[in-house]
């Protein structure tokens, strides 16, 4: 089989997995601009206030959700290909039965907490990084090439596509493993929820922070210095209040839950119950 035939064969293999014709997949790869829509939205912080630059200008980000056949194919790629890769227990975003709640829970009872955020996480991941990550997971070059083209746009992971969280997880996996090894040797608990990285320990580990940041930056990622904090009084982790003996929801969520008493659907109440239920469980 020559190179051209092998390339077509690997695309056909992807088509068999996602239940889509090779010809149609080829069209999607060659015409990506037809299958994304782009919009700009203003950024808000966790309190609901607009984020601003020093000059007062409101910060924005570009959202690029896929549409039509590509969106359908990306859902299949996520569910039938990307979700099959086994991720360490430290990763909580985009993983079944894990969430921002499980991410926060493992830090319960730890006195010292260090948190940092990856700056422009999705846009910082290019097609070559996706390709290399898939190769490292044992995929063939053409398979990796096809998947990278079907999940990136304008040479970056698009914010809003079904595959983006899963793709970012496998791209960051190499750095995850280095951080896990480093933290295990020092008695530090490490978790990642998409672009939020949290480290905690019963003991002061401030002297290790510089090396942690170096590991992240050596992986090719940028740190959001504004969201990088360390101390013994941090209690809000991925939107969850973390204490010595329990975790809880912020007061604003409780207030919203109270407004749902007479409603048939109670998302905030259900969320509160999921958080409170963990106080009778220990996530390991």
């Amino acid at each position: 089989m020559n190179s051209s035939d092998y390339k077509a064969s690997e695309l056909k293999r992807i088509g068999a997995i996602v239940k889509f014709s090779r010809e149609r997949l080829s069209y999607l790869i060659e015409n990506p601009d037809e299958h994304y829509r782009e919009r700009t939205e203003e950024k808000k912080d966790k309190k609901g206030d607009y984020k601003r630059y020093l000059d007062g200008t409101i910060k924005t980000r570009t959202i690029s959700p896929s549409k039509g056949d590509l969106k359908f194919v990306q859902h299949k790629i996520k569910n039938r290909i990307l979700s099959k890769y086994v991720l360490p227990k430290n990763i909580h975003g985009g993983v079944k039965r894990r969430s921002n709640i499980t991410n926060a829970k493992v830090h319960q009872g730890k006195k010292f907490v260090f948190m940092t955020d990856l700056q422009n996480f999705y846009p910082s991941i290019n097609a070559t990084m996706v390709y290399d990550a898939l190769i490292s997971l044992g995929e063939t070059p053409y398979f990796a090439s096809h998947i990278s083209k079907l999940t990136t746009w304008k040479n970056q992971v698009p914010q809003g596509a079904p595959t983006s969280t899963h793709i970012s997880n496998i791209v960051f996996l190499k750095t995850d493993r280095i951080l896990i090894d480093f933290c295990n040797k020092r008695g530090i608990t490490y978790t990642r929820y998409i672009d939020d990285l949290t480290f905690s320990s019963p003991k002061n580990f401030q002297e290790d922070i510089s090396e942690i940041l170096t590991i992240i930056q050596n992986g090719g990622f940028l740190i959001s210095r504004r969201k990088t904090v360390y101390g013994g009084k941090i209690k809000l982790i991925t939107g969850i209040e973390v204490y010595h003996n329990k975790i809880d929801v912020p007061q604003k969520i409780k207030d919203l839950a109270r407004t749902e008493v007479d409603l048939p659907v109670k998302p905030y109440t259900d969320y509160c119950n999921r958080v409170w239920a963990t106080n009778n469980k220990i996530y390991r």
Side-chain angles (χ1 to χ4, degrees):
M1 183 182 295
N2 61 36
S3 177
S4 179
D5 290 340
Y6 185 48
K7 180 179 180 181
S9 175
E10 287 295 83
L11 190 58
K12 184 177 181 180
R13 178 161 75 95
I14 294 172
I17 295 172
V18 302
K19 306 300 181 184
F20 219 66
S21 72
R22 185 188 70 186
E23 292 76 18
R24 189 57 182 164
L25 286 177
S26 180
Y27 183 84
L28 294 178
I29 289 172
E30 293 170 2
N31 300 276
D33 293 349
E34 296 180 12
H35 299 90
Y36 286 97
R37 56 182 183 274
E38 197 169 71
R39 70 176 189 274
T40 300
E41 67 176 29
E42 296 171 329
K43 290 185 177 181
K44 291 185 177 182
D45 59 24
K46 292 179 180 178
K47 295 180 180 179
D49 299 324
Y50 289 111
K51 296 180 180 179
R52 298 177 183 272
Y53 293 102
L54 293 177
D55 65 359
T57 304
I58 296 175
K59 294 183 177 182
T60 62
R61 63 180 172 185
T62 300
I63 306 299
S64 307
S66 52
K67 61 182 181 179
D69 286 347
L70 181 59
K71 183 177 181 179
F72 172 86
V73 166
Q74 287 177 339
H75 272 295
K76 296 296 184 181
I77 289 173
K78 178 187 74 172
N79 294 329
R80 298 183 179 182
I81 297 175
L82 302 178
S83 64
K84 303 301 181 183
Y85 302 126
V86 179
L87 300 175
K89 64 181 181 180
N90 309 69
I91 289 78
H92 292 259
V95 181
K96 283 186 178 180
R97 292 181 289 280
R98 301 180 204 171
S99 65
N100 67 308
I101 300 171
T102 61
N103 181 80
K105 185 69 178 179
V106 296
H107 299 285
Q108 179 182 313
K110 310 292 174 52
K111 181 177 180 179
F112 295 94
V113 176
F114 171 59
M115 295 191 300
T116 190
D117 185 273
L118 302 173
Q119 186 176 341
N120 296 322
F121 187 34
Y122 288 170
S124 71
I125 299 173
N126 59 45
T128 299
M129 295 166 74
V130 176
Y131 173 88
D132 290 342
L134 289 166
I135 292 295
S136 72
L137 290 168
E139 301 297 353
T140 67
Y142 279 127
F143 187 95
S145 177
H146 293 320
I147 294 297
S148 68
K149 290 174 182 177
L150 287 165
T151 57
T152 60
W153 185 45
K154 296 181 178 179
N155 200 32
Q156 63 185 39
V157 171
Q159 185 92 32
T163 47
S164 292
T165 297
H166 288 70
I167 286 292
S168 68
N169 276 344
I170 66 170
V171 169
F172 200 78
L173 186 56
K174 180 179 178 180
T175 302
D176 278 324
R177 287 172 173 159
I178 298 172
L179 287 171
I180 290 167
D181 182 63
F182 178 86
C183 291
N184 285 346
K185 291 176 180 177
R186 288 159 179 78
I188 300 170
T189 297
Y190 161 63
T191 63
R192 180 172 60 82
Y193 183 74
I194 308 177
D195 58 355
D196 288 322
L197 283 66
T198 306
F199 306 80
S200 66
S201 175
K203 299 179 181 179
N204 190 331
F205 62 99
Q206 189 168 11
E207 64 182 16
D208 294 311
I209 291 176
S210 177
E211 182 61 25
I212 287 172
L213 293 175
T214 296
I215 291 170
I216 296 168
Q217 291 167 329
N218 285 347
F221 301 96
L222 299 176
I223 298 293
S224 176
R225 297 290 177 178
R226 186 177 61 84
K227 297 182 180 179
T228 298
V229 293
Y230 175 78
K233 296 183 179 180
I234 297 170
K235 68 176 184 178
L236 192 67
I237 299 175
T238 52
I240 301 293
E241 293 181 353
V242 180
Y243 300 96
H244 181 68
N245 295 314
K246 68 174 184 178
I247 64 172
D248 204 352
V249 291
Q251 187 60 48
K252 65 179 181 179
I253 302 297
K254 295 177 186 177
D255 293 340
L256 288 168
R258 291 192 184 99
T259 68
E260 298 178 329
V261 174
D262 298 320
L263 298 178
V265 180
K266 301 179 170 100
Y268 292 106
T269 302
D270 292 341
Y271 179 71
C272 289
N273 287 333
R274 289 200 303 275
V275 173
W276 294 332
T278 70
N279 293 323
N280 295 319
K281 295 180 181 180
I282 297 177
Y283 285 87
R284 297 189 185 279

